[in-house]
Amino acid sequence: MPSSRAPIVTQLVVYKVGSADEVAGKTGIAHFLEHMMFKGTDTVGPSEFSRIVSKNGGRDNAYTTYDSTGYYQTVSPDRLELVMRMEADRMANLRLTEKELAPERQVVLEERRMRIDNSPSALLDEVVHERLYGRGQPYGMPISGTVADVEALTLADLMEFYRRHYMPNNAILIVGGDTTSEQVRGLAEKYYGPIPARPVAPRRRPDHGASDLPQTVSRADPRVVEPRWSRHYLAPSFSKGESHYAHALQVLAQLLGGTETSRLWRALVVDGKQALSTWAGYRPNSLGLTSFDVGVHPASSVTMADVESAVSAELARLVDGGISAGEVERAQNQLLAAAIYSQDSLQNGPRIYGGALSTGSTIADVAAWPERIGAVRPDEVVAAARHVWQPSRLVTSLLTPPSGSR
């Protein structure tokens, strides 16, 4: 991804392993290992990786998702070799000690407390995933792990996970910025090329959700200031299920709830005065099934039952009454504009490719995405909605303060 607009370059290494590759009883290990990857090798001391990047004028970080784990650095072009050498070093030569394990475990647990335990909506979303996909299933386990599991993980657990998944033939290297393909290829062959390949563990992703759908889950929490009603439908992704609906579902999510001019916002916020805000979301880059989500923050005088009726009426109106070509065209233009802007970023652009390549898509698929979005027809959007919006494939969630059920 060459770009000479600024004298910087970003290296992103994405491993094709995430929290959905864990097993029950050892949840959180992918995220814990992400933290421990900064604890050093024989040549780079504990916590020195980020210090070296910073000292050389760069910045670095990492992330864990259900399907992948990524490590990235943004530096000046003349420091690309430095970060590639260090990234390859920790791909092959990670050294973990009990001395580093205990304090980092507390960091991981504190991160969970801040991001999940202190957020009623995040706690409810973990339950939604468990109910939608099934307890103990790949997407039914939390990315950050349960507290009990993280507290029990050992050095041997982490090293076994590292050896099973961290090798060049299970990784994707993406470099964007002020460099050339020839320079990147030469450095990659020099530093990643000598690392031995090893057998890649199979990845399991079921093609169905939980067996006891539909379900309704709720959380009453004194920390809730703004109640939320949401509905989560099992949906195909680019890699699993009826994937030919995926591009139409992206258009559907945009026109239904992607902006303040979308159908839900106009119907419930502007016209009906029943909501403070509305949204719809769909993420097709998933190795397994994904979800199509619809949500509402109700107005103060509106009950959850009223919101559910209003949303159901809007969904039925779309399926029964269809949509216009102009409505689809506006959604397509919004999606394409957002994609163009996101690829301008040397962080977002590599992440887009990393997310696609780690879940079964190809570079050709990424390149063809604008054309495929632009080719979606109104009847295909309605067909996708009809396929996904099935009452037997959903979880409804209610987030409220404890003083009433709304």
Side-chain angles (χ1 to χ4, degrees):
M1 300 171 57
S3 172
S4 57
R5 281 174 293 183
I8 55 175
V9 65
T10 291
Q11 172 184 237
L12 169 64
V13 171
V14 180
Y15 292 95
K16 291 186 278 187
V17 60
S19 66
D21 296 289
E22 299 165 352
V23 296
K26 294 189 184 297
T27 62
I29 194 169
H31 179 237
F32 199 166
L33 179 59
E34 175 215 309
H35 280 245
M36 296 301 292
M37 284 288 286
F38 292 86
K39 297 307 175 183
T41 66
D42 288 341
T43 57
V44 178
S47 303
E48 283 296 313
F49 190 106
S50 294
R51 291 195 191 103
I52 294 172
V53 173
S54 179
K55 188 170 68 173
N56 282 271
R59 61 182 184 272
D60 72 318
N61 213 326
Y63 63 86
T64 303
T65 72
Y66 284 110
D67 291 315
S68 65
T69 310
Y71 302 85
Y72 59 92
Q73 307 87 36
T74 299
V75 293
S76 63
D78 63 342
R79 299 297 191 272
L80 177 59
E81 182 168 9
L82 169 68
V83 295
M84 195 174 289
R85 181 174 69 243
M86 292 198 302
E87 194 66 79
D89 181 32
R90 67 178 176 179
M91 176 186 286
N93 304 307
L94 184 66
R95 296 292 179 264
L96 302 182
T97 67
E98 292 290 348
K99 179 181 177 181
E100 297 290 340
L101 183 69
E104 199 61 32
R105 190 195 312 276
Q106 295 311 308
V107 172
V108 171
L109 290 172
E110 178 60 25
E111 186 176 296
R112 179 186 164 84
R113 282 190 287 269
M114 291 177 61
R115 295 183 178 180
I116 307 297
D117 298 339
N118 287 341
S119 171
S121 61
L123 288 169
L124 181 58
D125 289 341
E126 284 192 344
V127 177
V128 168
H129 271 263
E130 181 183 281
R131 299 297 177 84
L132 189 63
Y133 296 103
R135 181 185 295 272
Q137 294 299 314
Y139 297 144
M141 300 181 291
I143 291 176
S144 59
T146 66
V147 171
D149 284 356
V150 173
E151 287 179 336
L153 290 172
T154 67
L155 205 62
D157 292 329
L158 291 164
M159 288 305 299
E160 193 275 335
F161 195 83
Y162 169 76
R163 294 189 186 101
R164 188 192 312 159
H165 299 290
Y166 280 55
M167 57 269 197
N169 55 312
N170 198 41
I172 302 157
L173 171 65
I174 303 166
V175 178
D178 193 10
T179 186
T180 66
S181 298
E182 291 74 19
Q183 289 173 324
V184 171
R185 184 178 297 110
L187 292 173
E189 290 173 350
K190 179 178 180 180
Y191 291 109
Y192 295 109
I195 303 174
R198 297 194 301 277
V200 176
R203 309 182 79 186
R204 63 186 184 99
R205 300 292 189 273
D207 56 4
H208 56 83
S211 60
D212 53 356
L213 298 177
Q215 288 201 42
T216 297
V217 297
S218 61
R219 182 178 183 87
D221 195 301
R223 297 169 293 180
V224 172
V225 176
E226 198 171 70
R228 187 191 78 184
W229 177 94
S230 56
R231 185 178 284 171
H232 315 265
Y233 294 91
L234 278 172
S237 67
F238 284 142
S239 300
K240 186 73 76 171
E242 301 289 338
S243 58
H244 61 276
Y245 288 117
H247 293 96
L249 287 170
Q250 289 183 283
V251 175
L252 174 63
Q254 184 67 23
L255 68 84
L256 180 69
T259 69
E260 293 183 6
T261 61
S262 63
R263 281 198 170 206
L264 280 180
W265 191 285
R266 284 187 282 110
L268 274 71
V269 178
V270 178
D271 298 335
K273 313 298 182 187
Q274 295 168 293
L276 303 176
S277 63
T278 64
W279 71 93
Y282 168 70
R283 295 171 299 280
N285 281 319
S286 174
L287 195 60
L289 293 177
T290 186
S291 65
F292 188 103
D293 306 322
V294 180
V296 177
H297 288 299
S300 58
S301 60
V302 179
T303 67
M304 292 292 189
D306 290 338
V307 166
E308 183 160 350
S309 295
V311 171
S312 296
E314 281 304 307
L315 302 190
R317 188 168 73 89
L318 187 149
V319 169
D320 296 336
I323 50 181
S324 68
E327 194 174 5
V328 170
E329 184 178 1
R330 283 193 298 274
Q332 290 166 324
N333 290 338
Q334 291 164 355
L335 287 171
L336 294 172
I340 290 170
Y341 287 128
S342 68
Q343 292 198 42
D344 279 345
S345 165
L346 279 184
Q347 287 191 5
N348 290 338
R351 285 281 292 268
I352 290 170
Y353 280 89
L357 297 176
S358 63
T359 54
S361 294
T362 65
I363 292 176
D365 291 327
V366 177
W369 181 85
E371 180 181 352
R372 291 170 182 171
I373 287 292
V376 171
R377 303 188 310 269
D379 62 301
E380 293 174 323
V381 176
V382 173
R386 187 174 287 116
H387 174 74
V388 170
W389 294 345
Q390 297 292 328
S392 61
R393 294 164 54 90
L394 66 86
V395 172
T396 302
S397 66
L398 312 175
L399 182 66
T400 65
S403 56
S405 60
R406 299 275 298 184

